[in-house]
Amino acid sequence: MSMKDTITIVVATDNHYAILLGALIKSIEMNHKTHEKIALYIIDDGISASSKKKILASSNPAVTTMYWHKTNDVIPPNVKIPVDKSAFPITTYLRLFAPYIIPKETTKMLYLDVDMLLIEDISKLWHIDLGDKLFAAVPDLAKIFASEWGGVPNYKELGFAPDTPYFNAGMLLLDPIKWRAGDLSNKIIQTIFDNIASASFPDQYGLNVALANQWVILDQRWNTFAVLEIEDPWLIHYLDIKPIFQSYNCNPAYKDQFYKYLRMTPWKDHKPVPDWVRLSRKAYNKLRKIVSGYLK
C-alpha cells in the first residue's frame, strides 16, 4: 500500500463502543468514491475477541487494511495520565499518542472518535490543505476560550484572548511529523496536570491550550454534533448520549443514519439498550481511573 494513495486513520475504542466502530467503518467505505485505500489503525482498549471478529467483518478488506495496537503498547511506560473527575473513559486520552503508531514516513493522519459517521466521501476531508498549520479541526459548541460552556475557564491567567477559537477534538486532521518533532503528547499532558482544576473536558482542554491558534478552522459539517439540526452533515458526531442507548435524545434523523449503517454490519440486529447500562459504564469509567490512578 503506497503512502501516496493511502488515507491513514487512527481510532481508539474499548469493548463497550466497538459497535460504534462497526458503523463508522461501514459509513466510511460506503461513501468513499476515490481510488485511495484506507489504512485503519485501531487502538484496542480491551476489545473482546467476538467484537474484534465483528469489526473485521464490518469492513471490506479490498478497501480497508486494519492494524491493531493494544493500549498498553501505545502509552509509553514513563507517561502518567492525569486523573480527572470526569466520566470520560481512559480511552479518550489515546488520541494523544496516535501519531506514534503509524509509519514514520506518513505525512498526514486523521484521528476520528468512534462515535461518528462519515456521510461525505472521506477523501474530500483527507485532501484539505493544512498549509503551515499543525492540524485542521471544527469549532466546538463552546466556539471560544471564554465560553461558559466547556471553554478554557482560566484563559485570562494563561494570557489568552477571550475570543481565541476553541475546537472539538473528536476529528483531527494533523501532521504527525510536526507533532512528534514538537513532543506535543507530553506537552499536552503537562498542560492538563498544570491546570487540572480547570480541565472539565481534560484531553480537549489540554489540546486547545497547548495548540491554540495552530489549526485550520473547518466547516461545521465536518464535525456535525448530533444535538444540532444541520440538514446536510458531512460527518455526524454523537458526542452526547450514543444512538445505541434508549435514552438517545438528539437529532432523530441522525439516529436513523446510524442504524442504516449498523444494519450493514454483524450488529444488524442490535436494539437500543436501557439507560442503566450507560450509567453503569460511566460509573465504571470513574472507578477505573481511581483504582488505576492512570499509572502504567
Side-chain angles (χ1 to χ4, degrees), residues 73-252:
D73 299 327
V74 172
I75 301 178
N78 60 330
V79 169
K80 184 182 174 189
I81 300 292
V83 180
D84 62 82
K85 297 184 180 124
S86 76
F88 290 104
I90 291 173
T91 321
T92 193
Y93 283 95
L94 296 175
R95 82 188 75 228
L96 302 181
F97 305 97
Y100 291 91
I101 66 168
I102 58 177
K104 292 283 186 284
E105 64 273 20
T106 309
T107 56
K108 187 188 277 187
M109 61 156 274
L110 183 61
Y111 179 86
L112 296 175
D113 279 349
V114 291
D115 58 344
M116 292 180 157
L117 291 179
L118 256 295
I119 308 300
E120 179 56 274
D121 188 341
I122 196 167
S123 66
K124 293 183 180 178
L125 175 58
W126 179 251
H127 287 292
I128 288 171
D129 184 10
L130 298 180
D132 61 351
K133 300 290 189 183
L134 174 67
F135 66 105
V138 168
D140 189 66
L141 286 169
K143 294 198 185 303
I144 57 170
F145 275 26
S147 169
E148 291 178 10
W149 189 91
V152 176
N154 60 335
Y155 72 88
K156 284 181 191 166
E157 296 90 319
L158 295 174
F160 288 107
D163 60 349
T164 303
Y166 182 89
F167 61 87
N168 181 273
M171 186 283 293
L172 301 171
L173 180 69
L174 63 86
D175 181 331
I177 295 173
K178 279 186 183 175
W179 183 285
R180 293 191 299 266
D183 192 26
L184 297 180
S185 304
N186 282 321
K187 284 185 179 170
I188 292 160
I189 288 168
Q190 191 58 51
T191 297
I192 300 166
F193 271 118
D194 292 345
N195 300 278
I196 197 72
S198 299
S200 305
F201 299 86
D203 61 311
Q204 183 164 286
Y205 171 95
L207 282 155
N208 270 279
V209 171
L211 309 180
N213 300 313
Q214 296 184 52
W215 54 294
V216 177
I217 299 176
L218 297 183
D219 190 303
Q220 177 77 63
R221 286 173 290 181
W222 281 123
N223 192 348
T224 301
F225 312 128
V227 294
L228 303 178
E229 300 284 335
I230 293 177
E231 281 186 22
D232 181 29
W234 298 335
L235 182 155
I236 300 172
H237 187 182
Y238 303 93
L239 77 176
D240 192 18
I241 299 172
K242 314 308 175 197
I244 56 173
F245 298 114
Q246 289 176 358
S247 54
Y248 174 85
N249 58 357
C250 297
N251 190 324

Side-chain angles (χ1 to χ4, degrees), residues 1-7 37:
M1 198 185 287
S2 85
M3 284 291 138
K4 192 167 73 70
D5 298 317
T6 303
I7 295 173
K37 303 297 185 193

